[in-house]
Amino acid sequence: MNLRTETFTDYLLQLTKKELTTIARLHHIPKYSSLCKADLAVRTASFLLQPEVMQTFFSCLGEDEKNACLSSAPSRDALLMKRLTEAGYCFLQPDGSFVVPEEVKNQFLSFRNTDASDNKKGFLIDCLYAAGYLYGCFPIRILLKMYNSFMEPAIKSEEFLRLFEQIPDYFRPFILKGELCIHTSLYEHDLYRKIQQCQGTLPFYIPPKKDIIGLARYGYFPEDVRIQNLSRILGCMTGLSMEKSIIISGKIQAVFRQGGTISDALLHLKTIPQFPAGSLRDKKILVSLNDVFAHTRLLLNRGYTAAQAMELKKKTTRIYPNTPCPCGSGKKYKNCCGRHH
């Protein structure tokens, strides 16, 4: 059967009942729990194609995701298509490609670019995710500094709060506590406070726009030359494709960013079936891992590498409550970063 002739419901029927239920729960589709698989697929297709439902979802995507959705060529980038797939608008095919049903494309085209706030919301979410990866917790003003460095017109706290409330729960794994944004994984047991103590008075690193989008989409910096080099070495050792090797390298970079060591990275490599056990002591892999480790932007350093953080600490004079905050906000330390210590 030619998959491109199938209806949206036909695509949904390719999923398991459990996968359909997950999608229904994500979108808060009413009265889905008692439906059989066929009826659930029909109900889900009808619900997801509603203009207001699609607009809410697609307004939260980045331009790269929207373009991939409309592309005539199926994508093979699992991480780029991740949110579309999880939401039930995109489907993994047996050949490893991802396809978006024509009904979804046509409905999206009918309202694309009708709301000027869509681009704002999409990039704001990218900034939220990137800031979460780089800092864990951060003041709203730092998020706005990141956003306003690349988007015009600039937005202020009031507009951020309005846009934040419009973002569906599944797009915002963050909690607002006063002027602080905290990743939900750090909120329990006040883990974010321990991270703040480790971060001290370091300023917040603001990455280039392409790195914000890359980090938000993939959870690592895909264009990092050290990641590319590690991926080539892994590909030679395992026989895996460059695409799969980059994903593994990206996960290793994420391990380092969260405070992991070279030993943690080697343990991760041991879990890969294709990785030769004897290669764990190979000089090439160890040198490459050390190179990635030395240049990884660490959460405990607010996005700076270990060497950069050391230099910043050398230059930093003692901070008193009434001195300007080193993050560059213009406020006194006691009214800024010092409030959270």
Side-chain angles (χ1 to χ4, degrees), residues 226 256 262 289-297 305-308:
R226 297 163 192 88
F256 290 154
I262 299 293
L289 285 173
N290 273 286
D291 197 26
V292 172
F293 178 80
H295 293 87
T296 292
R297 300 193 171 279
T305 66
Q308 288 173 333

Side-chain angles (χ1 to χ4, degrees), residues 20 41 96 149 191 223 247 311-312 331:
L20 283 171
S149 295
L191 181 58
E223 296 185 15
I247 291 174
E311 284 300 310
L312 285 168
K331 297 181 181 180

Side-chain angles (χ1 to χ4, degrees), residues 68-136:
C69 170
L70 295 175
S71 174
S72 57
S75 173
R76 290 183 175 273
D77 191 333
L79 292 175
L80 176 62
M81 308 304 287
K82 182 174 183 287
R83 296 196 289 197
L84 280 158
T85 304
E86 290 177 344
Y89 287 115
C90 179
F91 301 86
L92 175 63
Q93 300 303 298
D95 65 355
S97 66
F98 291 83
V99 64
V100 177
E102 292 301 319
E103 287 173 272
V104 173
K105 290 183 180 182
N106 293 336
Q107 184 72 290
F108 174 42
L109 278 170
S110 70
F111 62 78
R112 190 183 189 194
N113 298 328
T114 57
D115 186 351
S117 68
D118 281 4
N119 289 337
K120 281 187 179 182
K121 202 181 302 177
F123 187 60
L124 183 63
I125 292 171
D126 286 342
C127 289
L128 270 168
Y129 276 79
Y133 285 127
L134 288 173
Y135 323 130

Side-chain angles (χ1 to χ4, degrees), residues 13 111 116 243:
L13 282 170
F111 62 78
E243 181 183 67

Side-chain angles (χ1 to χ4, degrees), residues 128-329:
L128 270 168
Y129 276 79
Y133 285 127
L134 288 173
Y135 323 130
C137 54
F138 46 93
I140 292 174
R141 59 182 171 73
I142 294 299
L143 178 73
L144 295 182
K145 181 179 180 181
M146 183 184 289
Y147 176 92
N148 291 334
S149 295
F150 306 103
M151 292 290 279
E152 293 181 352
I155 62 173
K156 297 183 178 179
S157 295
E158 297 77 12
E159 186 172 3
F160 161 73
L161 293 173
R162 180 181 64 79
L163 289 171
F164 187 85
E165 288 302 315
Q166 295 174 9
I167 300 172
D169 294 343
Y170 50 82
F171 271 113
R172 55 171 193 182
F174 294 90
I175 292 169
L176 292 184
K177 188 172 184 179
E179 297 179 0
L180 199 65
C181 283
I182 306 166
H183 197 280
T184 51
S185 64
L186 305 177
Y187 192 72
E188 192 175 359
H189 307 304
D190 285 345
L191 181 58
Y192 72 95
R193 293 187 183 278
K194 297 175 184 176
I195 289 174
Q196 285 181 310
Q197 290 172 0
C198 293
Q199 292 172 337
T201 59
L202 280 169
F204 292 83
Y205 168 73
I206 305 296
K209 186 176 182 180
K210 66 179 180 61
D211 285 350
I212 292 173
I213 295 172
L215 190 57
R217 206 71 70 242
Y218 300 98
Y220 58 90
F221 296 100
E223 296 185 15
D224 188 327
V225 293
R226 297 163 192 88
I227 289 293
Q228 299 287 336
N229 183 52
L230 176 59
S231 302
R232 282 190 287 271
I233 294 171
L234 289 176
C236 291
M237 288 182 169
T238 62
L240 293 171
S241 66
M242 188 63 174
E243 181 183 67
K244 291 182 178 178
S245 296
I246 286 177
I247 291 174
I248 294 169
S249 300
K251 288 180 178 177
I252 288 173
Q253 188 185 63
V255 167
F256 290 154
R257 189 177 61 247
Q258 295 164 15
T261 64
I262 299 293
S263 295
D264 295 319
L266 292 173
L267 285 173
H268 180 74
L269 289 176
K270 285 177 70 174
T271 66
I272 301 166
Q274 297 89 341
F275 191 81
S279 298
L280 290 174
R281 295 184 180 181
D282 187 286
K283 185 177 179 180
K284 284 184 179 179
I285 195 75
L286 291 174
V287 168
S288 185
L289 285 173
N290 273 286
D291 197 26
V292 172
F293 178 80
H295 293 87
T296 292
R297 300 193 171 279
L298 305 174
L299 183 147
L300 294 181
N301 289 341
R302 287 180 171 164
Y304 289 99
T305 66
Q308 288 173 333
M310 192 175 297
E311 284 300 310
L312 285 168
K313 287 174 182 177
K314 284 181 183 178
K315 296 177 182 178
T316 302
T317 56
R318 187 174 178 183
I319 304 298
Y320 295 94
N322 288 317
T323 56
C325 188
C327 75
S329 67

